[in-house]
Amino acid sequence: MGRYVARRLLLLFPTLIGIITLNFFIVQLAPGGPVDQMIATLTGQDTGATSRIAGAQSGPQAMEMSESQTQYAGAQGLDPELIKAIEKQFGFDQPLHVRYFKMLGDYLSLDLGESYYQNRPVLELIKERLPVSISLGLWSMLLVYTISIPMGIAKAVRDGSRFDAWTSGFIFVGYAVPSFLFAVFLIVLFAGGSYLDIFPLKGLTSNNFEDLSPMGKVADYFWHMALPVAALTIGGFATLTMLTKNSFLDEISKQYVLTARAKGINQKRVLYGHVFRNAMLIVIAGFPAALVGVLFTGVLLIEVIFSLDGLGLLGFEAVLRRDYPIMFGTLFIFTFIGLIMTLVGDITYTLVDPRIDFDTREN
């Protein structure tokens, strides 16, 4: 296992570089970059509309336009020197390959650049937003796994019973109702919408958080987390519950389980000593992707609804504004955490089932 972990760690850096490189050239060559955004703002025109206008122009009028003006949609009538100043402001006065290698050099020193529009270091913005995403992701995943695995096992053991039928109704609701819709329902019901006004609607903590006692800070934190975490949990437990149930049902019907029961081994020992280890492998396999998904993408609408400034919202706003340093910085963090979580998942495989040996498989 040690050699396998060492190999994966050695591959971590090339994989990061490859993903960053691919996304860099795709994003940089796509139309509607930050220079186009700034020109559209200065001219009071929509970037999409100006693209159509520029594309429709032809003849002598188009031929008279300078190279700087024709390079960007909606640049007609602007001073070429102003366009060059905008390019310099965003670093687009340098060739593409120069910008690429500069970014790689900065990333080696963990310098993720500075936001185009917020005038703050990207790393500082990520550090500021990361606790929100981690809080939402970890607590919701903890609740999802705490609820889903026992419920899935119970449904498998009692397959076809009244308990199985009733819990399937809750699972159907989890499938049918998306997290953001359930979040709106919780707000209406418990956050001053139309009925009760128990929970807050904004932020991770209260304004007087620093003045609270240690226990008061803990209570205030969970008070703010209650509704968003509940909304994420209801949307995530259904799939994992059915995955656990089906995995256990598949293992229970196998010959080794029938043999163990025929030998008179206790039902609980058969279930947790033999079936659990094999059935949980497929559940563990999906854990890294599920955690990364919840941390950085699944919480986006929840962050918007509950006014929580997390990484998902930060990245989404950066895409809308073409804030490339934030886009690539968050992508770098997402990719790094995703690769680490995949490695953690493989290590957990061996803890659950020692028969799995990744070193032997690679030889």
Side-chain angles (χ1 to χ4, degrees):
M1 188 64 184
R3 287 183 296 171
Y4 173 78
V5 173
R7 291 193 196 100
R8 290 290 297 271
L9 290 176
L10 289 175
L11 286 172
L12 186 67
F13 181 73
T15 305
L16 273 172
I17 295 299
I19 294 174
I20 290 295
T21 299
L22 179 63
N23 283 274
F24 175 86
F25 286 103
I26 291 176
V27 171
Q28 292 279 349
L29 295 176
V35 178
D36 291 287
Q37 296 271 328
M38 181 62 71
I39 290 173
T41 301
L42 291 174
T43 57
Q45 298 174 348
D46 177 71
T47 304
T50 53
S51 299
R52 292 189 292 272
I53 294 171
Q57 285 192 343
S58 59
Q61 182 180 1
M63 295 296 294
E64 292 174 0
M65 296 175 65
S66 68
E67 181 180 352
S68 296
Q69 289 174 308
T70 57
Q71 185 177 356
Y72 301 104
Q76 299 93 329
L78 290 181
D79 186 352
E81 294 299 322
L82 174 60
I83 298 176
K84 290 181 180 179
I86 295 173
E87 289 180 330
K88 186 174 182 180
Q89 175 185 348
F90 293 114
F92 279 71
D93 57 328
Q94 300 292 328
L96 184 64
H97 68 279
V98 173
R99 302 201 303 268
Y100 168 70
F101 285 111
K102 180 181 183 303
M103 185 188 73
L104 288 187
D106 291 340
Y107 276 30
L108 288 175
S109 59
L110 290 180
D111 180 7
L112 303 184
E114 187 172 293
S115 170
Y116 288 156
Y117 301 101
Q118 300 191 45
N119 297 320
R120 294 176 60 190
V122 174
L123 194 59
E124 180 181 312
L125 289 170
I126 291 176
K127 288 180 179 178
E128 184 179 285
R129 306 289 188 96
L130 193 58
V132 176
S133 295
I134 290 179
S135 295
L136 289 173
L138 287 182
W139 287 118
S140 61
M141 286 298 293
L142 178 63
L143 281 177
V144 165
Y145 272 76
T146 302
I147 295 171
S148 299
I149 293 178
M151 183 180 293
I153 295 173
K155 285 176 67 64
V157 173
R158 305 175 188 178
D159 185 39
S161 67
R162 184 175 297 179
F163 171 83
D164 186 31
W166 277 101
T167 53
S168 294
F170 290 105
I171 291 172
F172 176 78
V173 172
Y175 273 125
V177 181
S179 297
F180 72 89
L181 190 59
F182 192 71
V184 174
F185 170 75
L186 291 176
I187 289 174
V188 171
L189 198 58
F190 297 111
S194 299
Y195 298 95
L196 303 176
D197 189 4
I198 300 175
F199 297 98
L201 271 177
K202 184 177 181 180
L204 195 63
T205 56
S206 300
N207 293 331
N208 63 336
F209 182 77
E210 296 300 329
D211 300 329
L212 299 175
S213 64
M215 289 302 299
K217 290 181 178 179
V218 172
D220 182 75
Y221 168 77
F222 283 108
W223 183 47
H224 283 77
M225 282 286 97
L227 293 188
V229 169
L232 283 171
T233 301
I234 195 67
F237 88 98
T239 301
L240 185 60
T241 299
M242 293 308 299
L243 179 65
T244 304
K245 176 189 174 181
N246 293 333
S247 180
F248 268 79
L249 283 177
D250 183 59
E251 289 297 323
I252 288 173
S253 62
K254 290 184 177 179
Q255 185 62 45
Y256 76 91
V257 177
L258 299 177
T259 303
R261 286 175 174 172
K263 291 180 178 179
I265 299 177
N266 182 271
Q267 170 73 5
K268 186 175 292 187
R269 183 179 174 188
V270 172
L271 188 63
Y272 293 102
H274 296 79
V275 176
F276 184 83
R277 177 183 298 174
N278 297 323
M280 287 304 296
L281 289 176
I282 190 172
V283 177
I284 293 171
F287 177 78
L291 180 58
V292 173
V294 170
L295 280 174
F296 305 118
T297 57
V299 300
L300 173 58
L301 290 175
I302 301 299
E303 290 176 0
V304 173
I305 292 171
F306 290 99
S307 300
L308 297 170
D309 292 329
L311 279 183
L313 186 58
L314 178 67
F316 178 71
E317 292 173 344
V319 171
L320 292 181
R321 304 181 70 178
R322 302 299 193 273
D323 198 336
Y324 288 169
I326 293 181
M327 289 173 60
F328 294 126
T330 52
L331 174 66
F332 178 82
I333 298 297
F334 295 170
T335 305
F336 178 77
I337 294 178
L339 292 172
I340 292 296
M341 290 306 302
T342 303
L343 179 58
V344 170
D346 290 343
I347 295 174
T348 310
Y349 263 141
T350 62
L351 297 177
V352 175
D353 190 349
R355 295 173 299 175
I356 297 178
D357 189 347
F358 287 102
D359 288 330
T360 302
R361 290 176 59 186
E362 292 196 352
N363 290 335

